Structures are given as C-alpha cells and as structure tokens.
Amino acid sequence: MAETGDFKAKPPVGTDPMGASSEGASLYELIREDIIEGRLAANERLVVTDLARRHGTSTNPVREALQLLRGEGFVTFLPNRGARVRPIDQDFVRDIYEIGVLIEPALTRWFVNMATGEDIAELERLQGLIEENNFADTFRHSELDTAFHTVMYQRHYNRHAAELWWKHREVLRAVSRRFNFTLARRAAIIREHRELIAHVKAGSADEAAELISRHVEGSGRHILEQMRARNAARAG
C-alpha cells in the first residue's frame, strides 16, 4: 500500500493542468491563493506591471497566470478595463458544482460499463487510504479523494468532458480548503464511496450514476453551507 505523505493526485491522461511556463504556473498558484483567501478583493483590478513588481518577475509569467485564472473563472477580462478578480461567492460555487452534477453521472455510467478488475482494485486501494487517513490530514484526503474519482474518468473517450471535470474539481478543491468537513459530510463521503464501489462491482451503471449525482451535489452544498456560516459569523 502506497504511503500517503507525499501523495499527489494527477489529472486524467491527456489533460494539461497548467499549459504555462514553470514561472507562470508558480505565479498562478500564488495569485489564486491570494484571491481565495481574500488578499485580492472581489472586483479588484489586476495590473500586470504591479503584480510583476510584487512577485519580482517579468510581465510575461503574470500574463500567463492571469490567462490560467481566467480559464478557471477566478479572473475576468473586460474591454478597456483589463483583468479583475471575480467574486468567489455562493453563485460562483453553485455554478461550478451544478455543472459537475450534469456531467459526472454520464462519465460514471461509461466507467461502470468499461471497468476492469484492476480499476476496482485501485478504487478499493485508494478508499483504504482515505479511511486510514480518516480526515486527519485534510490536504491528504483531498489528494486521495481526487485520485479516487480520477480512476473513473481518466480513460473516458470524451477528453473535453474529462478536462472540464478536472478543472472544475480543482476550483472547488481550492475553495473548499478554507473550510473543515462536518462529521455528517465525513460519514457521507465514506458511505457513498463504499456504495459506489459496490455498484461498480455489480455493473449497476444507472445506480452508480444516480449516486455520483448525489455525491457531487452533497459536496457542493457542503461548501455553500460553510460559506453561509462564515458570512453569518462575520456579519454577526
């Protein structure tokens, strides 16, 4: 069984998670973190030269980073107004997870009909690591959970759908790092993963697709509930 300390989930084969130079990719991570944590405020203008000066780099990597962030929806470009921070609000999260509710059942249904014994063994191995970690390290859980779902989608013939799933999942993963898992959500994740493996073993494609729809919606709603609670606490 693999160690989880240095575990890193990888995107489906054929998906380019960055598409930028190493410096541009590094800046992308830094700027995205500043947006998520609120250090760059909603609707704040992102001036390329200012960001380059702040991070001690040239303007080209900054432009690369902003284009990556635009692709994920964290940054908007308006004519004659340049780049601005998109508000990371409840509508943003809702839109992202609702797309997952639409596409993941189709990806899952295909997987169940094509799954091999090796696929099932890998799902069980990853689920064992997830339960071994038991949410003690939330970053590790996120990596393992992403790998679990990647097993199901990585060979899908529709590479555009698989890439869209990956990019949207990475957005939700980034946003969800601000919040802890409730006990109820922890229990649901473990239970639904086990049920999903059982459906894959049984070849029950429709049941697996229905379950993954509930699973994705539950994840999205959990993030929304945490956002509402944080906003209420700040307002109170």
Side-chain angles (χ1 to χ4, degrees):
M1 183 173 289
E3 293 294 329
T4 59
D6 57 355
F7 190 90
K8 179 69 175 177
K10 298 179 180 179
V13 175
T15 297
D16 184 354
M18 285 296 172
S21 66
S22 59
E23 192 173 6
S26 177
L27 279 174
Y28 151 82
E29 296 282 357
L30 292 172
I31 297 171
R32 186 174 74 162
E33 191 69 18
D34 283 343
I35 292 172
I36 292 168
E37 293 300 325
R39 290 187 288 269
L40 289 170
N43 299 310
E44 181 175 342
R45 189 181 176 201
L46 299 171
V47 180
V48 171
T49 53
D50 290 347
L51 290 169
R53 190 179 307 111
R54 180 187 305 178
H55 293 287
T57 186
S58 65
T59 57
N60 282 341
V62 174
R63 291 192 177 94
E64 288 183 326
L66 293 181
Q67 287 299 331
L68 289 171
L69 292 162
R70 181 188 192 183
E72 287 191 341
F74 285 112
V75 168
T76 60
F77 282 78
L78 300 174
N80 303 317
R81 297 179 62 188
R84 291 184 181 271
V85 175
R86 189 206 190 282
I88 308 303
D89 54 16
Q90 294 175 36
D91 288 344
F92 177 78
V93 171
R94 180 206 62 208
D95 291 348
I96 293 294
Y97 89 74
E98 283 185 353
I99 292 172
V101 170
L102 291 173
I103 68 172
E104 288 197 48
L107 296 174
T108 299
R109 189 177 285 107
W110 182 89
F111 170 73
V112 173
N113 290 323
M114 301 295 291
T116 66
E118 289 77 10
D119 292 329
I120 294 170
E122 181 65 2
L123 288 177
E124 291 180 324
R125 184 185 75 85
L126 289 167
Q127 181 61 15
L129 292 172
I130 288 170
E131 295 184 22
E132 178 184 290
N133 181 57
N134 196 29
F135 301 91
D137 183 331
T138 55
F139 178 81
R140 185 177 302 172
H141 169 82
S142 176
E143 294 291 336
L144 291 166
D145 186 67
T146 297
F148 179 94
H149 289 278
T150 302
V151 169
M152 298 192 293
Y153 307 148
Q154 62 187 352
R155 294 199 312 274
H156 199 279
Y157 66 88
N158 190 327
R159 304 315 304 157
H160 295 290
E163 183 169 352
L164 182 63
W165 165 77
W166 172 264
K167 289 183 176 179
H168 282 190
R169 183 177 180 89
E170 287 296 279
V171 170
L172 291 180
R173 280 215 297 163
V175 174
S176 67
R177 286 207 310 269
R178 294 184 291 174
F179 310 111
N180 293 320
F181 292 97
T182 63
L183 293 177
R185 186 61 198 156
R186 293 182 183 189
I189 290 169
I190 298 300
R191 181 182 68 252
E192 290 167 1
H193 276 198
R194 289 174 177 169
E195 291 176 2
L196 184 59
I197 292 172
H199 288 320
V200 176
K201 285 182 175 179
S204 303
D206 290 340
E207 289 82 354
E210 181 181 351
L211 174 59
I212 206 69
S213 178
R214 297 198 310 271
H215 187 67
V216 174
E217 184 167 12
S219 177
R221 288 187 178 277
H222 179 263
I223 297 172
L224 288 181
E225 289 166 1
Q226 298 298 305
M227 292 177 76
R228 292 189 189 106
R230 172 172 286 191
N231 291 341
R234 287 173 174 173

